[in-house]
Amino acid sequence: MESSSTGLLPRFPIQLAVTDLCASYSKTPLLPIFHALPARSGHQLPIVTGTLTLFAIFLLFIRQWKGSKLSNNSQAHRYPPMIDIPEEEMFTRPQEAYESALLKHGPVIGVRRKGRLEYIVDENLTKEVLANDRDFSFEHGTARILNLWFLMPLSKGKFFKNSQMMVTGGIIPRIDKIVDQIFPTFKDRAKEMIDESQLSGKGVDLFAHVHRCIAEAMLIVALGKHNVNDLNLQVTEETAHAIAVMTGIYQNASPFARAYPTLWKVVTWVRLVWEVIIFKYFRVIVPIIWKEIRGRKYQPLHTSTPNKLDEQESHDEPLVHYIARMYTNDQGRVSILSTLWVSTLVLSFIFVSVHQTAAVAVWVVFELSMRKEYIPAIREELSVVADSIDNDGIQRLSYEALRRSTTLDSFIREVFRTKGDTLSVIRATTRDVPLGEHIIPKDNLIYPLASLTHRSRRMHGEGASEFNPGQWAEGPASSTVGQGYLPFGFGRWACPGRILAVTEIKMITLALLATSTPEIEGGKYFVADPLNVTSVPPLGSLLLRPIKSKSDPVHL
């Protein structure tokens, strides 16, 4: 499945899953194999896989049976109305389908999707749901929707808190240094894309290139540049894609997965945990983490102060060292179990930082390609904020320069607001919760319909449905969350890595614009999954036309 010309993540698994409506579960986006590691075969494999599959089916059946029971049937008359949305409308026209149902029966409705009851609320109840984490839990909702519920008991309920601490303490304070470390990667990958497009005269697969670019950059951030090589990069890419599949990001594209979600989860998880997580990630990446952590002593994070820590070390250390200090004992060592947990946190970091950022980066570049009238102003700003220009004509960009690229930032924010998010932010009820005139039963999932919030005239004025980046010229920034802007969530659980994500999107966009003009082949792109535009990139082929100078006109 490796691309013979680039070795990148192939595009066709996603396209097949979207376009082939008769696809079986095997047509769900598959894991690309770049340079396959030695296969593990033998008569034990089918027995182990079959046993694990049956056990997983039993656990999921018990869990879903328990979760399907209403907690207080005496309150059933106050439950929101149950609305039947046809599957065809739900998965092909979700905005219209959900908005119409809420308009007729809202402000809160119950809908069954992929065998699961979900509650949907309109923009008037969004803040009440997202700001009240005591009754509407981010952690339980996210763990369930991403098929990661088992991590909650394993981490004693601290998985998301640990992940948040990992980013807010190990990434954000070092963002300027991180940009210095990874910008050369973005510059080089952008040049590869431009060269490929110009030499072939054809469009490039933007998601494949950006996916690899960000995978390499995050490998530098997580493990250090000395651990970046072809094999580690390929395993990082495969791992990010495998987790994307396992967490259900491509599930909407498979009729089998929609009809038999429990069986699909079991088959997918057993296959990918066995083939990728165990025999690739744990064989290639985990030994590196083990060597990095177990081979040295650390000063525990809870006893570290700016005066005690070596300033240069804390500034330059890879993320894995910061995470290790989160779990260091008083003797300066990290236990074996803690080392394995650090490996799990690195795994989660790889998935979120690689797949999610690559997907939304494609949205930004594709929209810019369709709206070329915004390119001259962004290029002009680039020439002003850039620190210097290299021999290839590409500007060197520091974090401060990227932060000052407000014209591009405004464009990014408007793309995020208008790209069509629907069920992108989730919570789970921790008790029977009164909401409006209704009661939402305990242990149920609840979503604000993001499209209503993002196009609310009350929040965004009469032109709420129009694309207008200029309204953000004076702020807020694209990484700033708010009641009317939900791409990164809301409240205390807003995405902690949003500043890094926006910074990476700016780097790839500006590196492309420095020497080329992007154009969608055929003049349009295809929305692969209208119900999950947040995580599934649009499909299209990107042409990159060379420019002779920054003053070249943009042909609209």
Side-chain angles (χ1 to χ4, degrees), residues 42 99 125 163 238 250 309 313 321 338 409 430 445 452 491 531:
E99 288 179 10
L125 295 176
S163 299
E238 292 186 29
Y250 296 119
L309 276 177
E313 179 182 356
H321 288 180
S338 292
D409 192 81
T430 59
L445 300 178
L452 288 176
L531 191 55

Side-chain angles (χ1 to χ4, degrees), residues 132-150:
N132 178 7
D133 196 60
R134 182 184 63 181
D135 294 330
F136 302 102
S137 171
F138 163 87
E139 294 172 285
H140 292 287
T142 303
R144 284 177 59 184
I145 201 64
L146 294 180
N147 304 323
L148 299 175
W149 51 269
F150 62 91

Side-chain angles (χ1 to χ4, degrees), residues 38 107 163 200 214 281 294 466 483:
S163 299
S200 67
I214 297 177
Y281 180 76
R294 300 282 293 173
E466 300 174 3
Q483 182 180 351

Side-chain angles (χ1 to χ4, degrees), residues 137-211:
S137 171
F138 163 87
E139 294 172 285
H140 292 287
T142 303
R144 284 177 59 184
I145 201 64
L146 294 180
N147 304 323
L148 299 175
W149 51 269
F150 62 91
L151 287 176
M152 297 303 287
L154 284 178
S155 64
K156 299 180 181 179
K158 295 181 179 180
F159 172 70
F160 291 102
K161 294 183 179 68
N162 291 162
S163 299
Q164 190 175 53
M165 182 179 179
M166 169 181 68
V167 175
T168 57
I171 297 292
I172 303 306
R174 299 178 52 244
I175 189 70
D176 54 345
K177 179 64 175 180
I178 287 173
V179 170
D180 292 341
Q181 291 175 327
I182 66 177
F183 177 70
T185 298
F186 283 83
K187 184 186 70 172
D188 292 344
R189 293 297 179 185
K191 187 175 185 302
E192 285 180 11
M193 275 188 273
I194 295 168
D195 290 345
E196 179 184 330
S197 178
Q198 293 175 6
L199 287 173
S200 67
K202 300 178 181 179
V204 300
D205 186 343
L206 180 62
F207 180 69
H209 280 279
V210 175
H211 192 275

